[in-house]
Amino acid sequence: MKKATKAAALVLTVVMMAASLTACGKSAEPGEVKDTTAAAQNENANAAGEQGEADAENAAPAAGGTLTFGTNAEFPPFEYVTSSGVIDQYDGIDMAIAKNIAEANGMTAKVENMEFESLLIALQNGQIDAAIAGMTVTEDRIEEADFSTPYYTATQVMIVKEDSDVASAADLADKKICVIQGYTGEICVKDMGYPYEAFKKGTDAIMELINGKCDVVVLDSATAQKYVSDNEGLKIVEDAAAFESEEYAIAVKKGNTELLDKINTVIDTMLADGTVAELGAQYIEAISAE
Ligand code: ARG
């Protein structure tokens, strides 16, 4: 438990308040976050009023039913495929949270594994009820979905070879940068104006780094930690001034307040009673011990 706590302290910061909506560059004040959300919700209410039929589609699954979560299980320690996970073959912090949410509402959690970039579309077309995928709340994404109370704070970091001279984001200027397609890391590097190559999976980008085909991978902190502990000769370089903190939250279809309320009730409890922090410690410890 001591070790777990230490590991958690290193990379896990449980969200207590809303902070920034952007991964890089300008950040939003907590007040702004609220305003934007309220405005977005008002819009939803209006849209729902105009087309009453859409309401039925937005109804949350009932007790006894199945709650389908979309994810992209390529993001340890939040979601990954294993021989026996908490939900079928899926395991990780998010999967444990998803299971808790379903069970607290008398439902069974099911996982649909898909490309990260397909998640918000899958929400919109009703293929999934909620998306839980270490998904950062961004200004663009709140246009497309409604987000739960954030449950985790992360930041982008730079993964480089141990002998790399990269010490800050400014050093990326003449480096070959790899990112993962559609992740906030890509948005950050794009915002910084650097050229980069985007890969489908974190492991693919890490392979390029190991093979010397790229100099740096920009990725979320806890996942980066996992890859660095799995592969010898890599290290993490942080630059808190260049990469602002990000918040992970669960997404539901816009206007689905019934499900969002159910999700938030469970998340709020799990944050307050320390369950999220414990899960974080447990999974981060588990993957670094492998
Ligand atoms: N936090 C980043 C984002 O929201 C990366 C998330 C990747 N998650 C995943 N399950 N593959 O863009």
Side-chain angles (χ1 to χ4, degrees):
M1 187 58 204
K2 271 245 172 71
K3 255 167 80 192
T5 315
K6 209 178 109 209
L10 206 63
V11 282
L12 178 84
T13 317
V14 174
V15 182
M16 285 308 176
M17 52 166 67
S20 157
L21 266 192
T22 46
C24 322
K26 58 187 162 76
S27 70
E29 290 303 312
E32 277 180 61
V33 176
K34 251 195 182 147
D35 287 354
T36 321
T37 311
Q41 276 167 2
N42 268 342
E43 255 172 48
N44 289 333
N46 292 341
E50 280 161 26
Q51 15 167 304
E53 275 183 21
D55 287 352
E57 278 176 36
N58 272 347
T66 301
L67 191 57
T68 307
F69 288 91
T71 199
N72 168 255
E74 298 280 351
F75 199 63
F78 293 92
E79 43 267 336
Y80 50 93
V81 176
T82 177
S83 46
S84 62
V86 284
I87 306 173
D88 305 324
Q89 71 269 43
Y90 303 105
D91 212 349
I93 299 167
D94 284 347
M95 300 298 99
I97 292 175
K99 192 184 167 107
N100 272 0
I101 291 171
E103 285 177 356
N105 286 288
M107 295 184 271
T108 306
K110 190 184 149 200
V111 169
E112 289 262 355
N113 190 18
M114 61 186 75
E115 285 189 6
F116 184 73
E117 287 181 297
S118 303
L119 286 167
L120 296 186
I121 300 157
L123 266 185
Q124 276 154 20
N125 66 28
Q127 189 189 340
I128 55 174
D129 298 308
I132 183 161
M135 188 181 280
T136 304
V137 184
T138 69
E139 272 163 15
D140 285 345
R141 291 176 187 160
I142 57 171
E143 298 290 320
E144 291 179 62
D146 287 343
F147 283 89
S148 71
T149 306
Y151 58 88
Y152 188 88
T153 299
T155 184
Q156 297 301 310
V157 298
M158 297 166 281
I159 311 172
V160 293
K161 287 224 170 132
E162 245 157 23
D163 59 0
S164 167
D165 60 357
V166 170
S168 74
D171 298 329
L172 296 182
D174 58 350
K175 295 286 186 279
K176 183 156 185 269
I177 308 168
C178 289
V179 298
I180 297 76
Q181 204 173 305
Y183 285 18
T184 38
E186 178 178 15
I187 304 171
C188 283
V189 173
K190 197 187 271 175
D191 283 357
M192 288 171 174
Y194 297 134
Y196 60 83
E197 191 174 345
F199 290 83
K200 283 248 174 231
K201 297 178 181 183
T203 45
D204 293 345
I206 294 296
M207 269 306 138
E208 290 286 294
L209 177 63
I210 290 168
N211 294 335
K213 291 184 189 150
C214 84
D215 303 314
V216 52
V217 176
V218 176
L219 185 61
D220 298 55
S221 37
T223 306
Q225 201 82 50
K226 160 73 175 159
Y227 291 139
V228 168
S229 59
D230 276 1
N231 297 283
E232 255 171 49
L234 302 181
K235 66 175 180 185
I236 286 177
V237 177
E238 294 176 24
D239 186 341
F243 303 108
E244 289 182 353
S245 64
E246 305 181 16
E247 298 186 321
Y248 296 172
I250 300 172
V252 299
K253 188 175 183 175
K254 262 199 167 298
N256 194 350
T257 45
E258 193 187 340
L259 179 56
L260 195 59
D261 288 349
K262 287 183 174 170
I263 290 174
N264 278 339
T265 303
V266 181
I267 295 248
D268 292 347
T269 306
M270 290 179 80
L271 285 172
D273 71 9
T275 310
V276 174
E278 260 170 43
L279 284 172
Q282 179 192 323
Y283 279 101
I284 288 163
E285 177 76 0
I287 59 169
S288 37
E290 261 171 25

